[in-house]
Amino acid sequence: MHVHRFERLWLVAALAMIVLFIGTVTYGAVGAGYGMVDDTGGQVDPTDATASENFREPGVYNGSEPGHYDVYIEAKQFLFVPGTSEPVRVPANSTVTFHVTSTDVIHGFEVVGTNINTMAVPGQVATVTVEFDEPDEYGLVCNEYCGSGHHTMEGSLHVVPAAQFTQTEVN
């Protein structure tokens, strides 16, 4: 059987593209370090998240070491607690771990202008750790459609100079 050289060329090019595609999908799924929301953050009762051992009252808490803070956020239709009615305040030059859960439907949790982007799933606690070096203001948005008021679900995160951050802001 004779295969024309142009057919052979296109066959090789198509196979190379398939291998390249499979390689990029594999790298994106395994090599880049991204993961899905799982139960490593723990599970909570979606009707009362604060009743669980691994989720505190929403707010900012001192972390396990100096300069580390834990922020517990509840996403619910159509607000973040804290974040919507009062901004989340953390000091600059600190490491912050966000613990996010939902009490009703699936929500998104994105801190605009950073690489923080996770899903808030009812019954699951998503944890994301980030370092904030400079004072700045960031928006919090829900990027998963969560109902008719989704477009109003926003909040704010204020990274303030360490001198302006007081321990009274920490629960």
Side-chain angles (χ1 to χ4, degrees):
M1 178 170 110
H2 173 66
V3 178
H4 194 272
R5 73 179 169 149
F6 288 124
E7 288 180 9
R8 217 179 350 222
L9 176 69
W10 280 107
L11 183 63
V12 169
L15 289 175
M17 297 259 309
I18 290 170
V19 169
L20 181 68
F21 177 69
I22 290 172
T24 51
V25 169
T26 303
Y27 172 75
V30 179
Y34 296 112
M36 296 297 293
V37 174
D38 57 14
D39 63 356
T40 57
Q43 295 182 338
V44 294
D45 177 7
T47 59
D48 187 10
T50 58
S52 303
E53 277 184 27
N54 58 342
F55 198 82
R56 297 176 171 179
E57 286 291 326
V60 180
Y61 293 85
N62 281 319
S64 56
E65 51 194 61
H68 190 125
Y69 296 88
D70 291 311
V71 178
Y72 290 83
I73 295 181
E74 256 183 41
K76 54 177 93 173
Q77 291 180 322
F78 296 100
L79 52 98
F80 294 108
V81 179
T84 298
S85 58
E86 77 274 354
V88 176
R89 288 174 49 94
V90 295
N93 299 314
S94 65
T95 301
V96 179
T97 300
F98 291 95
H99 306 267
V100 185
T101 192
S102 170
T103 57
D104 45 27
V105 298
I106 294 176
H107 294 280
F109 178 76
E110 179 180 351
V111 180
V112 179
T114 70
N115 63 348
I116 301 170
N117 184 1
T118 190
M119 291 174 65
V121 179
Q124 301 289 324
V125 178
T127 56
V128 181
T129 302
V130 67
E131 293 182 12
F132 290 107
D133 297 326
E134 300 291 326
D136 206 347
E137 291 186 14
Y138 300 95
L140 303 176
V141 296
C142 175
N143 55 12
E144 291 285 333
Y145 183 73
C146 57
S148 61
H150 167 72
H151 63 284
T152 65
M153 189 167 175
E154 62 183 4
S156 60
L157 168 70
H158 295 179
V159 180
V160 298
Q164 292 179 12
F165 187 78
T166 63
Q167 283 303 111
T168 59
E169 298 181 63
V170 177
N171 291 332

